C-alpha cells in the first residue's frame, strides 16, 4: 500500500491498542493524552532513533522540572506578601527559564519535548483532583507525576516508533 495509507492504518490500529490500555488494564497508570502528545512529538522530531531518544529524555526532563515547580508551589503560603498568583507566576517563570537554558546541554537540547513533559505534568496535576499536594509529589506511588507521566511519555514515544516501523513494513515501494 502507499505510505500515507500504511501510516494511517498503523497509527489507527495502535491508537486502538493504546486506548484499550488507557481505559482498561493500564487505566490510572497510562494516560492516552500524554502518550499521544509524545507520539506526535516523535513524528514531529523526525521519527528517527534520535527523535525517540530526545522525546523520552527531554520529555522526562520536563516532567522533572514541573515536579520541582509543583513542590515549590505547594510550599507557597496563601498569605505571602505578593499573593499566591504572583508567586506562582514568578516560580513558573524561573523554572521555565532554567528548563530552556538546560538546552545548552546537548542531551536536553530538544526544548519542545521538555515543554511537552512540563505541560503534561501540570495538566495532570491541575486537572486531576487532589494530585497537587506534597503527599502525592513526594509519594512513592503511581499517583506521583514523576512516575505516571514519565511512563505515559515513554510508552507513547515507543508507540510512535512502532507505528512508523509497521507503516514501513506495509508500504509498497
Amino acid at each position: 500500500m502507499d505510505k500515507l495509507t500504511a501510516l494511517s492504518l498503523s497509527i489507527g490500529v495502535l491508537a486502538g491498542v493504546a486506548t484499550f490500555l488507557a481505559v482498561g488494564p493500564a487505566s490510572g497508570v497510562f494516560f492516552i493524552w500524554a502518550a499521544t502528545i509524545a507520539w506526535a512529538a516523535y513524528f514531529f522530531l523526525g521519527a528517527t532513533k534520535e527523535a525517540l531518544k530526545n522525546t523520552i529524555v527531554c520529555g522526562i526532563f520536563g516532567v522533572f522540572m514541573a515536579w520541582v515547580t509543583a513542590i515549590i508551589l505547594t510550599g507557597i503560603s496563601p498569605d505571602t506578601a505578593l499573593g499566591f498568583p504572583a508567586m506562582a507566576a514568578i516560580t513558573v517563570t524561573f523554572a521555565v527559564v532554567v528548563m530552556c537554558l538546560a538546552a545548552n546541554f546537548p542531551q536536553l537540547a530538544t526544548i519542545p519535548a521538555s515543554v511537552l513533559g512540563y505541560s503534561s505534568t501540570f495538566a495532570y496535576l491541575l486537572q486531576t483532583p487532589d494530585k497537587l499536594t506534597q503527599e502525592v509529589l513526594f509519594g512513592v506511588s503511581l499517583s506521583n507525576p514523576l512516575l505516571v507521566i514519565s511512563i505515559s511519555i515513554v510508552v507513547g514515544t515507543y508507540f510512535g516508533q512502532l507505528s512508523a516501523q509497521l507503516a514501513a513494513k506495509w508500504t509498497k515501494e
Side-chain angles (χ1 to χ4, degrees), residues 34-153:
T36 56
I37 291 168
W39 190 336
Y42 167 77
F43 276 100
F44 181 75
L45 294 173
T48 63
K49 196 174 199 176
E50 190 73 8
L52 181 84
K53 180 187 68 139
N54 289 337
T55 303
I56 292 172
V57 170
C58 292
I60 292 173
F61 175 64
V63 172
F64 173 77
M65 289 301 300
W67 177 78
V68 169
T69 304
I71 289 169
I72 294 168
L73 292 175
T74 60
I76 297 173
S77 169
D79 309 353
T80 189
L82 292 176
F84 181 81
M87 290 302 296
I90 291 166
T91 301
V92 169
T93 298
F94 280 110
V96 170
V97 168
V98 168
M99 184 174 67
C100 291
L101 285 173
N104 282 301
F105 297 99
Q107 303 87 344
L108 301 176
T110 309
I111 294 172
S114 297
V115 171
L116 79 85
Y118 192 92
S119 298
S120 293
T121 302
F122 272 104
Y124 170 72
L125 290 172
L126 296 174
Q127 299 300 312
T128 311
D130 303 318
K131 296 301 180 197
L132 186 55
T133 67
Q134 288 193 355
E135 182 180 335
V136 169
L137 294 168
F138 286 115
V140 181
S141 76
L142 290 174
S143 289
N144 189 322
L146 273 175
L147 298 173
V148 73
I149 301 302
S150 294
I151 288 168
S152 296
I153 287 171

